[in-house]
Amino acid sequence: MLTSTLPLHFSQLYHRLPTTPPRRPPYNKRSQGPQPVGLLDLSLLFSSLTARSLVSHGTPFGLDEVFLESCKEVLFPVSPLSTIAHAPIGYKFAGLNLGDDYDEPVSCAERLSVFYPNAAYDFYGMPSGPLCVYKTGEAWPVRTGPEAQRIIREARGVHGHPMQSVWPQLGRRVCDMLDANEVAWTSMDCLGFAEAGQERFSPLLIWIGVEPRSLTFALANTVANAITFFISSAGFNDFEIGFRESVVFHSAGPKMLSFDPVNDPVPELREPLAPTLGLFIAPLKTPYYEGTGALYFRECGDNKRVFLLTCAHVARPPPVHLNKGLVRTTKSNPREKVIALGSSAYTNTLMSMIRAIGRLVRSIRDWETVLRKMGDFKEGESTRVTERRKDHLELVAKAKAKITEIDALHNEVSKRWAIPHQRVIGEVVHIEPIAINVPPECFTSDWALVELYNGKFDWATFGGNKIYIGGNISSLEWGETMFPAPEDQADYEYPENGLLQACGVVQPEEIRTPKQLDANGEECLLVVKHGLTTGTTIGRVTGMESFSHNFNEYGIKGISMDIAVLAYGHANGPFSARGDSGSIVLDRKGRIVGMVNGGAGAADRTDVTYLTPYSYPDQEIKKYFPKSFLYETPSPR
């Protein structure tokens, strides 16, 4: 019998649970805004700063701009929606030279002014400098003359307009009209404008943002007239329609870092901040329930939407949410945002940098002790002593350079990634209700898709579906463990740059009857995963399905069946732990086996890890996104 309940074994490896439950929820249901940050959060935030944090970056207090905004957010909590920011839009005028560092702006005032003369004037003074594509109504005042300066304007709220009570309904109809006319609109606001410091002079302006270079003057004119006719027919006047070029960003924080294990000086410390497989994630509203991302998908070849697969109980933790699905097909549905690095993952990332610096400092002290005992170079000393002194001097120099790199990374992360809102990377687009014993294979259904925000990723350097195995598994260990048989080692090659590409799927027959041998000469399917808690680990698939009995955990009752993975050996530690849910599991060739959904053990240590076979979520995803496919990284030219 199919039930919409949660298996008991999920409680063993659900997501990273808080060590102690928060005294109060991070969001007030009535206000839907974050609660004030506690003293512990403040002390962690400020203690993480280095002296370099105070270097001037052009802000009033000499602080990094993003860090200054973080400080403001700590002192004055705001709702999640307030993190939406508009991209800067610059002007380009003939004969204006901004130097070699000047980048071509997104929008060109000259281009728009050919059709709409006031393109660079109507909204001048707004923070992002938006350009006007077209505006209905009378032309707004413009200063004239050879020395005339543009009028600085400010946006103002409009209250008490007769349209206000029915605008939610009218606004939705306007959205439909924009979509029907294939306008690439990004936002729509109702406001008025005033000269700086003065009273509002304009009527209500329905201010519609569009993608840069996407809307022609002719289409803007046609659509604006249609909207005007529609609203006027509803009995309202005293309003104008204005189109401006503007892009919406869903988060004000930095992008995920690029990742190049060969050229990055500290790749093991940058990796948690980069979008390799095993991305550490958590819901924005409950960042203390943490998990791991599985695989990247493209929605189809015709658009640029990219999804991240994870477990449903990671995207929407059952202790906080009812076990029900979500299909976000329209923008009107509430957004459930997801962040990179939940509470503990962020703290651990900073602490790993601090520990790395500490180890280097200790090593430098030991090497300098040796150098002091050796003394300065003396004429006639042995070649061995000279070489040893040279080696130790190089070790000290390299360690100091590495400390500088780590300190710079720590400085960036402690300022620009400090607030969870800065770490928002996307929003949930689909969640399947968690269910067990799902026919026909009777496996567990526990998956969700997160739509990633384009502005949060550097797609030019995005590595796609690759697991970084070079962090805590050396190339020698990888070869000896995953390719132990002599016949395997003949064609063995370590994955390029320590990144194992996910491609292909291990079929059920091979799971049951593997073709490879372990170090003991026994048949075994060896697998690898990268997760939030245990990092990169190697395990072995049992070959026979496991069953779990679920005693009404979170309303779930019944028997579930999963693929089971064991630790490679006693000395290697568990294959997974709390927080690793959602990790994708690959074989040594990069073929996909399944996704971690739970585990079992007598205490906090996990003896057996449970996987949902990849074939199941893949088939289910196709039902909702029939043209979706695994993200493919372009081959280097």
Side-chain angles (χ1 to χ4, degrees):
M1 178 179 177
L2 180 62
T3 59
S4 59
T5 51
L6 180 67
L8 174 64
H9 66 260
F10 288 172
S11 64
Q12 296 293 323
L13 184 61
Y14 212 50
H15 24 49
R16 174 70 70 79
L17 295 173
T19 305
T20 56
R23 295 182 179 180
R24 57 184 177 181
Y27 284 78
N28 181 292
K29 292 183 178 179
R30 181 173 301 176
S31 67
Q32 294 299 311
Q35 297 295 332
V37 176
L39 294 178
L40 179 61
D41 300 313
L42 283 172
S43 63
L44 174 63
L45 176 63
F46 289 105
S47 65
S48 65
L49 300 181
T50 61
R52 193 163 37 193
S53 302
L54 301 179
V55 175
S56 175
H57 290 278
T59 60
F61 303 100
L63 298 176
D64 178 270
E65 294 178 4
V66 175
F67 177 60
L68 181 59
E69 292 302 314
S70 301
C71 296
K72 292 178 181 178
E73 189 164 350
V74 168
L75 296 176
F76 304 101
V78 293
S79 68
L81 293 180
S82 66
T83 60
I84 297 176
H86 295 287
I89 306 290
Y91 299 138
K92 178 183 177 183
F93 294 97
L96 181 62
N97 184 3
L98 299 181
D100 295 336
D101 294 332
Y102 174 70
D103 293 329
E104 181 73 9
V106 175
S107 184
C108 175
E110 291 176 318
R111 168 177 54 85
L112 296 174
S113 297
V114 171
F115 302 97
Y116 185 75
N118 286 1
Y121 295 87
D122 281 353
F123 311 136
Y124 180 74
M126 294 296 291
S128 72
L131 299 174
C132 186
V133 180
Y134 174 76
K135 186 184 74 67
T136 63
E138 296 183 2
W140 289 355
V142 174
R143 294 194 181 110
T144 58
E147 302 295 328
Q149 300 292 318
R150 284 178 288 174
I151 299 173
I152 299 176
R153 295 198 168 105
E154 301 170 342
R156 303 287 172 81
V158 177
H159 307 280
H161 193 280
M163 193 192 308
Q164 187 169 355
S165 61
V166 295
W167 172 244
Q169 293 76 32
L170 288 177
R172 290 183 184 275
R173 294 288 302 276
V174 173
C175 294
D176 293 340
M177 294 175 69
L178 293 170
D179 290 337
N181 286 275
E182 298 183 350
V183 175
W185 65 284
T186 59
S187 59
M188 182 168 62
D189 311 284
C190 290
L191 42 75
F193 273 85
E195 295 185 16
Q198 305 297 317
E199 294 183 358
R200 177 169 63 92
F201 69 83
S202 79
L204 168 69
L205 178 69
I206 300 177
W207 207 34
I208 302 171
V210 297
E211 291 281 354
R213 298 179 181 270
S214 68
L215 184 63
T216 64
F217 176 84
L219 181 57
N221 188 314
T222 300
V223 175
N225 288 338
I227 294 173
T228 300
F229 177 79
F230 164 69
I231 296 178
S232 299
S233 298
F236 302 101
N237 49 36
D238 194 28
F239 67 91
E240 294 178 348
I241 308 293
F243 290 96
R244 90 277 193 187
E245 295 194 340
S246 173
V247 178
V248 172
F249 289 96
H250 296 275
S251 175
K255 290 184 178 182
M256 299 296 293
L257 299 186
S258 61
F259 186 63
D260 184 350
V262 174
N263 297 314
D264 289 339
V266 284
E268 69 280 4
L269 298 178
R270 286 179 66 92
E271 192 274 335
L273 308 161
T276 53
L277 284 188
L279 182 64
F280 308 154
I281 60 175
L284 172 63
K285 293 183 178 180
T286 54
Y288 39 82
Y289 287 108
E290 305 176 68
T292 305
L295 291 166
Y296 297 105
F297 285 79
R298 291 280 299 275
E299 182 185 18
C300 63
D302 299 332
N303 65 39
K304 297 182 179 180
R305 293 179 78 190
V306 178
F307 300 146
L308 174 64
L309 173 67
T310 189
C311 287
H313 73 263
V314 171
R316 181 183 277 173
V320 181
H321 299 275
L322 296 176
N323 181 28
K324 61 179 182 179
L326 179 148
V327 180
R328 190 168 183 272
T329 56
T330 65
K331 296 182 179 297
S332 60
N333 291 343
R335 292 185 172 94
E336 296 188 11
K337 297 185 178 181
V338 174
I339 64 173
L341 302 179
S343 300
S344 66
Y346 177 74
T347 301
N348 291 340
T349 298
L350 287 178
M351 290 305 298
S352 66
M353 299 178 195
I354 295 172
R355 285 193 295 268
I357 291 176
R359 288 192 294 267
L360 288 169
V361 169
R362 184 180 182 89
S363 297
I364 290 173
R365 184 179 63 185
D366 294 340
W367 295 327
E368 289 181 338
T369 298
V370 174
L371 287 169
R372 283 195 298 271
K373 291 181 179 179
M374 296 176 66
D376 296 333
F377 172 78
K378 296 178 182 178
E379 193 69 33
E381 70 179 12
S382 69
T383 304
R384 181 179 300 176
V385 172
T386 302
E387 290 298 325
R388 190 181 181 198
R389 181 187 296 108
K390 179 182 177 182
D391 291 342
H392 278 71
L393 287 171
E394 289 179 353
L395 288 171
V396 170
K398 290 180 180 178
K400 289 183 177 180
K402 195 168 186 179
I403 287 175
T404 300
E405 296 287 351
I406 298 173
D407 183 47
L409 180 61
H410 179 272
N411 192 45
E412 176 182 0
V413 174
S414 64
K415 292 189 300 186
R416 298 175 62 83
W417 297 61
I419 303 301
H421 288 84
Q422 296 173 318
R423 306 198 295 273
V424 171
I425 59 169
E427 59 191 60
V428 177
V429 71
H430 187 99
I431 294 179
E432 279 293 286
I434 302 169
I436 61 174
N437 199 31
V438 180
E441 290 86 2
C442 299
F443 286 111
T444 299
S445 174
D446 180 15
W447 65 275
L449 289 178
V450 177
E451 180 180 355
L452 303 178
Y453 293 154
N454 283 328
K456 296 294 291 187
F457 293 81
D458 183 358
W459 300 107
T461 61
F462 182 65
N465 290 305
K466 296 180 181 179
I467 286 182
Y468 181 51
I469 62 175
N472 51 345
I473 299 179
S474 67
S475 59
L476 180 62
E477 182 182 1
W478 174 261
E480 292 179 344
T481 305
M482 301 296 280
F483 298 82
E487 56 269 26
D488 291 336
Q489 295 176 357
D491 298 325
Y492 160 70
E493 290 185 3
Y494 185 67
E496 185 178 0
N497 299 335
L499 293 165
L500 180 63
Q501 175 72 55
C503 58
V505 179
V506 177
Q507 299 302 317
E509 295 77 17
E510 189 171 349
I511 293 176
R512 299 187 182 100
T513 56
K515 300 177 182 180
Q516 68 182 91
L517 304 176
D518 64 9
N520 300 319
E522 298 176 344
E523 291 183 351
C524 182
L525 178 60
L526 297 172
V527 293
V528 63
K529 72 102 186 73
H530 182 76
L532 165 66
T533 306
T534 55
T536 305
T537 56
I538 294 173
R540 52 180 77 225
V541 179
T542 61
M544 295 180 66
E545 292 81 1
S546 291
F547 297 87
S548 299
H549 197 185
N550 309 288
F551 295 96
N552 207 27
E553 183 78 2
Y554 294 103
I556 294 189
K557 187 177 182 180
I559 296 174
S560 62
M561 184 176 70
D562 299 278
I563 295 175
V565 180
L566 307 173
Y568 179 78
H570 173 74
N572 301 83
F575 181 70
S576 64
R578 294 178 184 270
D580 289 334
S581 285
S583 303
I584 201 68
V585 177
L586 310 179
D587 77 344
R588 64 185 185 181
K589 297 179 181 179
R591 295 180 301 168
I592 306 169
V593 179
M595 182 171 64
V596 174
N597 65 45
D604 267 351
R605 304 279 285 182
T606 304
D607 299 319
V608 184
T609 297
Y610 298 126
L611 314 181
T612 299
Y614 171 68
S615 58
Y616 177 77
D618 184 50
Q619 293 170 2
E620 291 298 301
I621 290 171
K622 289 290 195 296
K623 293 180 181 179
Y624 300 95
F625 303 96
K627 297 183 180 180
S628 64
F629 56 92
L630 286 176
Y631 191 99
E632 296 178 350
T633 306
S635 301
R637 296 179 179 177

